[in-house]
Amino acid sequence: MATDFWASSHYKRWIVDRATLKQARADDLQYVEDPEHLDLLAIYFANVISKLGKKLQLRQRVIATATVFFRRFYVKNSYCETDPFIVISACCYVAAKAEESPVHIKNVVTESRLLFSQENYNVKNFPSDNTKLAEMEFYLVDDLECDLTVFHPYRTLLTLCRKEATDSASLFGSEEGEAEEAGIGIGTEDGPRYWGTGEGQLEVTDGALQTAWFIINDTYRSDLCLLYPPHIIAIAALYLTFILNPSMRDTVLPHLPTEHEHSRASMPQQSSAAPQPRRSSRQAHHTAPTDSPKKPQDPIAFLADLNVSLPLIATVSQEIISLYSLWDRYKEDAMSEAPRHNRDQAQSPFSGSTGSTSPAKRSAPESRSGSLHAGNSNAGTPMDTREDLGETGWSDGSYVTPAFLSGVLMKMREARLADMSHPASGRPVAINKMLERTQAAG
Amino acid sequence: MLDERANILQHDPMRIYRAKRDAARRTVASKYTILGFISSGTYGRVYKAQSLEDEGQIHAIKKFKPDKEGDVITYTGISQSAIREIALNREINHENIVALKEVILEDKSIYMVFEYAEHDFLQVIHHHSQTLRAPISNAFLKSLIYQLFNGLIYLHSCHILHRDLKPANILITSSGVVKIGDLGLARLIYQPLQPLFAGDKVVVTIWYRAPELLMGAKHYNKAIDCWAVGCVMAELASLRPIFKGEEAKLDSKKNVPFQRDQLLKIFEVLGTPEEKDWPGVVDMPEYQNMKRLDHFSNRLYDWCQSRIRTPLGYDLLRQLFAYDPDNRLTAKEALQHKWFYEDPKPTWNVFHTVPAHQIPPHRRITQDEAPSMMPVPAHNTSHQGHGHGGVPFTQTQSKPGSTASFGSLSGGGPYGQATGGNGAHVSNRKKARMI
């Protein structure tokens, strides 16, 4: 089970298609002015989960599990008909238990009340009574169909990649020390990896692994965890890392077919001495400062050898980029100067280093061509589609803040409630009236 | 109207959601007829039930005890034990593991609907010791152990430690298929976020607890389950627990005490562990305590002479009782042991070689308890001996072997329904609040 994703409840019951997701938001869609607010709410909720998780000192994997629970819950339910805040608390509470690191219910209640009552969220009525959270837990577990084991991309990442030189086991949650389980990734006793037959590990720098880890953290801000198996998300994150992380990019660039193959054809003298073009001296020169005597690896060949659909990886990568583009418009705090200032990434095993910065942001200054931030053309990288993602109208600095989204959410819920109280009056009219009324009032 | 709406939003925002869910939910009573009561423990109660659908199949329904404040049943959070059992059972599927059919969450209670198993190892042992007064035949014994290992290999390949293997938790269907039950103490050990020790201080019922656990090891692995299987095999062969020690209870500060008596019981048969057999023993937290015990030499061979009766059977047991967890036979290795390939060979129906009149009786159910299916009586939590086919119990209630058979997990502790030992009780109650 722990290794057989294909036999898991995650794969069998909780990978859904876009149509299902669309259906799941159908009710909510009637109560928002801009459909994109729903996508922004997805970021907003994930951030809330992450913040609560940090208050409760949950590990990154627990937070990820809580987020997946939250997304699964809202495949079946609507924001407008529920109180997402108590759902968030219950998700964290259950996830901590499901990941074998339980927290006391009283803790969850206290921290939730404290966090949610902040101005941004303005939830003044979060129950102080443990039983309310326990009740929500009960309904949540039912809606989750008791499927509480979740697979995450982190594991694939750590199985695929090996940090240069050092043993990463100590860093990556294996402080367990259980001899036979201590290794990262999937042990040899388990036979082939569950997603294919790729062998060996890609050797990457600390920074690169960190970047990939952060990208994975970021994917939980969207519905990706419902749409794609975790190993696909991990490989897409790794793929993006090749471009975003300077050390990886230098390793990869010589191997890019567009550059390399082409230049070789037109200027054969340039690499005439290389019978194996993917082992060019240029790459060796650019790899990380560690003077490893080993033959440098070719990341592109490594990816190609994985038994996954590369077009699918490309698609998921694009979706991650779309998420970043949307996220650029989300600002945790209206006062803060950087849009991603408060992004919650510190819970990765790298916490303490560059905890609060996103991979995109971190790599942006060093990036020659692959910045996710700059609205410039990014020719030569997979990033150049991002301009099509509806940036217009937002580049003038009009950000969406948690406070704004809290208001959107409250309006949705009030309007829905009004509709349900007056079923005969017909939904569309009632919505608008209610919206106008609350807007006028607020 | 607006006031009421505001009231809902402010004071019970999930009311509409709950009403919707409650209306859609199918109740236990609408799907099953409760036939009778099977057993109970600190976790709750198990009932025999017949499905009102799929051809009237028989099931065992485990109802977790709801938490109560006074006489009012309230939500206090699902126990870690229930979460584990539910989460693990939803993922696994194997012939030799009790299958979970569904989980029904209704009226503050959790009902787990399992496939029904007519017998269990403890009942087989009692049947042979009390009724037949004859040992379990070699063929029967071998089939039971073979299928047990077959199920254990699956669990271990899924990175699940059972952590409470004992005769009462190993079931047999009427068609003779062994089913490992009770994953309430089981857990995934794949890339755990914190040490196993941090979650549960005490695991495995004392008589089946591996020496490394008794010696206070903070880290342990699948080998603890293999030790327990060795104990189960020896118990089947001799009809009594091989290491029947007295458990030292947790002290008032819930420190885990040195399990002197249990270790002595083990040493009496296997000898005092030597550093050459178990290099890690010197690093065990209880090593100094252990050194003060009397010295014994290994007499397992003699023990097996009259009980296991074959050299290969002895060899299997010897390897399952290896002190060093790293040298102990794994479930996979055990299944390839020559004992299973020597005649009589194991059978897929464990009763295949058992004469009809020697097959243990059907699980006894009681009627008087059945009506309590819905509301649980307020002060009726100590039970003994239900469901053992009328076989009298020889042990006192506080002993680990006396737990009732079906799904006799304890609610988060290894104590079964231990009613002695205040420490155990305190710790269980504490645990219930913790999670």
Side-chain angles (χ1 to χ4, degrees):
Chain A
M1 159 188 131
T3 49
D4 190 1
F5 174 73
W6 307 113
S8 69
S9 62
H10 187 153
Y11 175 67
K12 287 190 282 192
R13 292 188 280 272
W14 293 104
I15 299 290
V16 301
D17 56 15
R18 290 236 172 250
T20 307
L21 288 184
K22 202 172 168 212
Q23 183 60 40
R25 293 280 72 79
D27 273 350
D28 291 329
L29 204 52
Q30 299 184 69
Y31 297 94
V32 286
E33 291 160 87
D34 181 351
E36 224 154 37
H37 286 171
L38 291 180
D39 297 328
L40 288 162
L41 275 173
I43 297 175
Y44 164 91
F45 290 132
N47 283 353
V48 177
I49 292 171
S50 195
K51 285 194 169 179
L52 179 60
K54 278 206 264 178
K55 297 265 184 216
L56 293 168
Q57 295 178 308
L58 302 181
R59 299 281 298 266
Q60 184 63 46
R61 194 171 84 198
V62 183
I63 292 173
T65 298
T67 315
V68 172
F69 286 169
F70 183 83
R71 302 257 181 254
R72 289 181 181 180
F73 181 84
Y74 283 107
V75 169
K76 295 177 158 191
N77 296 285
S78 304
Y79 300 140
C80 63
E81 246 179 63
T82 55
D83 174 10
F85 289 95
I86 188 135
V87 176
I88 284 171
S89 300
C91 286
C92 288
Y93 179 50
V94 178
K97 285 191 271 193
E99 297 285 352
E100 294 281 358
S101 35
V103 282
H104 197 294
I105 188 166
K106 190 72 219 164
N107 257 351
V108 183
V109 170
T110 309
E111 293 297 342
S112 297
R113 277 173 66 83
L114 220 64
L115 177 67
F116 300 161
S117 63
Q118 286 174 9
E119 211 171 326
N120 276 347
Y121 310 117
N122 202 26
V123 178
K124 301 294 185 205
N125 58 323
F126 192 88
S128 54
D129 182 3
N130 295 356
T131 60
K132 274 290 165 198
L133 179 58
E135 177 187 66
M136 186 61 234
E137 174 195 34
F138 197 84
Y139 282 83
L140 171 67
V141 168
D142 202 18
D143 260 352
L144 296 176
E145 297 171 35
C146 298
D147 294 328
L148 304 177
T149 307
V150 179
F151 286 68
H152 292 294
Y154 304 110
R155 191 162 89 190
T156 311
L157 179 69
L158 298 183
T159 309
L160 284 180
C161 297
R162 170 163 45 97
K163 285 201 312 167
E164 282 171 344
T166 57
D167 173 33
S168 32
S170 55
L171 252 179
F172 291 103
S174 296
E175 65 264 274
E176 160 49 16
E178 229 233 332
E180 113 193 65
E181 306 292 334
I184 58 168
I186 291 156
T188 45
E189 59 173 297
D190 297 309
R193 290 185 193 132
Y194 61 86
W195 65 85
T197 55
E199 279 170 28
Q201 288 182 305
L202 184 65
E203 210 166 87
V204 297
T205 59
D206 267 10
L209 200 51
Q210 209 165 334
T211 302
W213 186 281
F214 288 162
I215 294 174
I216 291 172
N217 286 356
D218 291 346
T219 61
Y220 289 96
R221 267 72 183 171
S222 70
D223 282 329
L224 282 167
C225 59
L226 294 174
L227 288 164
Y228 303 103
H231 63 281
I232 297 292
I233 295 171
I235 296 168
L238 193 58
Y239 175 56
L240 289 175
T241 303
F242 289 174
I243 293 120
L244 291 170
N245 184 274
S247 69
M248 282 310 287
R249 197 174 47 240
D250 289 348
T251 313
V252 170
L253 278 178
H255 301 298
L256 288 178
T258 47
E259 182 182 336
H260 193 91
E261 305 292 331
H262 187 257
S263 67
R264 195 158 65 103
S266 55
M267 299 178 286
Q269 69 279 11
Q270 192 179 356
S271 56
S272 56
Q276 285 181 300
R278 301 198 160 177
R279 302 266 182 268
S280 71
S281 57
R282 192 179 146 195
Q283 188 208 338
H285 183 259
H286 278 282
T287 35
T290 54
D291 38 9
S292 161
K294 278 175 289 183
K295 267 197 293 182
Q297 284 176 296
D298 175 354
I300 299 295
F302 180 81
L303 273 194
D305 282 347
L306 295 175
N307 189 13
V308 292
S309 155
L310 291 183
L312 182 60
I313 299 299
T315 304
V316 175
S317 304
Q318 293 292 354
E319 290 185 30
I320 295 174
I321 294 160
S322 305
L323 166 67
Y324 282 127
S325 144
L326 184 73
W327 198 347
D328 267 343
R329 292 162 34 196
Y330 180 90
K331 200 168 169 182
E332 263 303 317
D333 181 355
M335 298 303 132
S336 103
E337 73 293 351
R340 291 203 183 89
H341 184 71
N342 284 322
R343 252 186 221 181
D344 305 315
Q345 281 142 341
Q347 285 257 330
S348 80
F350 312 100
S351 50
S353 47
T354 51
S356 61
T357 329
S358 84
K361 190 177 171 61
R362 278 182 338 104
S363 51
E366 310 129 349
S367 170
R368 277 179 297 166
S369 59
S371 165
L372 285 176
H373 274 288
N376 316 326
S377 139
N378 295 317
T381 79
M383 306 298 168
D384 50 2
T385 49
R386 60 181 294 282
E387 275 86 7
D388 309 330
L389 300 170
E391 281 273 322
T392 43
W394 289 93
S395 46
D396 56 79
S398 62
Y399 289 111
V400 170
T401 62
F404 171 78
L405 289 170
S406 300
V408 168
L409 180 64
M410 192 41 86
K411 275 181 215 162
M412 289 168 69
R413 292 172 58 195
E414 281 167 356
R416 178 63 168 185
L417 203 58
D419 279 357
M420 295 184 70
S421 314
H422 304 285
S425 66
R427 188 173 291 163
V429 183
I431 303 162
N432 295 336
K433 269 187 186 162
M434 192 64 203
L435 271 177
E436 282 159 18
R437 209 183 315 161
T438 42
Q439 275 163 353
Chain B
M1 212 41 163
L2 274 172
D3 283 352
E4 193 197 324
R5 264 183 254 146
N7 192 43
I8 289 183
L9 276 177
Q10 288 304 310
H11 298 295
D12 194 5
M14 294 303 273
R15 199 168 84 188
I16 295 164
Y17 161 78
R18 286 201 311 274
K20 245 186 183 176
R21 281 286 167 270
D22 291 343
R25 185 175 288 140
R26 294 207 51 196
T27 61
V28 175
S30 75
K31 294 176 119 179
Y32 301 94
T33 308
I34 304 301
L35 300 175
F37 167 82
I38 297 174
S39 65
S40 73
T42 47
Y43 58 88
R45 307 155 76 75
V46 180
Y47 301 87
K48 185 175 180 176
Q50 184 166 28
S51 174
L52 293 169
E53 290 146 16
D54 47 55
E55 293 157 4
Q57 274 205 346
I58 303 295
H59 296 282
I61 299 186
K62 179 170 181 171
K63 181 191 183 186
F64 284 94
K65 191 194 295 173
D67 284 299
K68 278 179 292 187
E69 276 170 23
D71 282 342
V72 185
I73 297 174
T74 54
Y75 292 104
T76 53
I78 303 172
S79 73
Q80 184 73 24
S81 167
I83 290 278
R84 276 176 183 151
E85 192 167 12
I86 291 168
L88 292 177
N89 270 297
R90 285 292 282 173
E91 304 293 327
I92 57 179
N93 171 26
H94 189 268
E95 174 81 356
N96 295 116
I97 313 286
V98 177
L100 175 70
K101 193 192 168 209
E102 66 173 330
V103 182
I104 299 175
L105 292 109
E106 176 190 335
D107 193 28
K108 305 185 179 69
S109 292
I110 299 173
Y111 300 85
M112 293 183 79
V113 182
F114 288 102
E115 66 177 311
Y116 181 74
E118 198 62 76
H119 314 280
D120 58 65
F121 277 25
L122 186 60
Q123 180 217 32
V124 167
I125 290 165
H126 284 309
H127 183 62
H128 281 79
S129 65
Q130 310 291 325
T131 312
L132 301 177
R133 296 180 176 280
I136 292 169
S137 76
N138 231 323
F140 190 20
L141 170 67
K142 203 179 285 185
S143 303
L144 291 171
I145 297 298
Y146 187 86
Q147 291 195 32
L148 172 54
F149 271 127
N150 201 46
L152 191 58
I153 285 177
Y154 176 77
L155 285 183
H156 285 180
S157 74
C158 295
H159 300 273
I160 295 170
L161 292 193
H162 188 284
R163 304 200 299 182
D164 199 18
L165 285 176
K166 58 181 175 183
N169 285 345
I170 307 161
L171 315 176
I172 313 167
T173 65
S174 52
S175 52
V177 181
V178 172
K179 304 273 182 185
I180 297 175
D182 220 327
L183 298 182
L185 208 57
R187 63 163 285 179
L188 259 184
I189 49 164
Y190 192 81
Q191 296 180 346
L193 289 174
Q194 51 177 359
L196 301 184
F197 177 78
D200 311 83
K201 280 195 173 172
V202 185
V203 294
V204 192
T205 304
I206 186 83
W207 300 341
Y208 309 93
R209 199 176 296 161
E212 60 270 29
L213 293 171
L214 297 167
M215 293 293 288
K218 297 283 181 289
H219 300 294
Y220 52 87
N221 56 27
K222 295 162 184 170
I224 65 158
D225 283 340
C226 295
W227 177 276
V229 174
C231 297
V232 169
M233 175 175 161
E235 186 165 339
L236 287 168
S238 68
L239 301 181
R240 62 184 300 284
I242 179 169
F243 308 128
K244 197 176 168 183
E246 285 286 340
E247 177 160 33
K249 296 298 176 192
L250 300 182
D251 67 19
S252 54
K253 289 176 193 140
K254 288 166 216 91
N255 294 317
V256 180
F258 178 54
Q259 296 293 351
R260 184 177 180 279
D261 192 59
Q262 184 61 32
L263 277 171
L264 278 172
K265 290 291 189 297
I266 294 172
F267 296 170
E268 281 167 18
V269 179
L270 300 178
T272 306
E274 306 280 352
E275 198 181 335
K276 67 174 167 55
D277 305 319
W278 185 10
V281 70
V282 294
D283 302 319
M284 290 289 157
E286 303 285 11
Y287 181 64
Q288 294 308 323
N289 279 325
M290 187 205 91
K291 277 206 301 193
R292 285 195 281 273
L293 300 179
D294 292 340
H295 196 271
F296 295 89
S297 48
N298 191 328
R299 52 174 203 89
L300 180 66
Y301 184 80
D302 298 332
W303 188 92
C304 285
Q305 281 298 312
S306 58
R307 298 173 175 93
I308 300 279
R309 301 176 298 264
T310 91
L312 283 176
Y314 156 71
D315 187 69
L316 173 58
L317 207 51
R318 179 182 64 81
Q319 296 194 60
L320 290 173
F321 285 150
Y323 274 123
D324 187 345
D326 294 337
N327 285 335
R328 204 170 297 151
L329 226 49
T330 65
K332 208 173 190 172
E333 288 163 350
L335 208 61
Q336 286 157 4
H337 193 274
K338 286 199 179 87
W339 185 56
F340 294 115
Y341 295 91
E342 138 187 285
D343 285 329
K345 296 212 172 61
T347 54
W348 280 114
N349 174 355
V350 295
F351 299 125
H352 184 70
T353 58
V354 180
H357 67 276
Q358 285 189 14
I359 290 176
H362 285 188
R363 195 178 290 283
R364 176 169 290 183
I365 58 171
T366 51
Q367 288 307 319
D368 51 318
E369 299 270 9
S372 66
M373 177 70 174
M374 291 312 151
V376 169
H379 304 290
N380 189 15
T381 48
S382 81
H383 305 275
Q384 51 178 327
H386 290 296
H388 281 290
V391 176
F393 269 105
T394 50
Q395 293 115 24
T396 62
Q397 224 180 340
S398 64
K399 291 294 175 58
S402 68
T403 46
S405 58
F406 201 105
S408 54
L409 98 159
S410 57
Y415 299 100
Q417 40 186 328
T419 48
N422 272 335
H425 251 281
V426 169
S427 95
N428 276 345
R429 232 180 291 135
K430 169 78 178 166
K431 209 160 238 158
R433 265 205 309 271
M434 276 298 290
I435 47 190

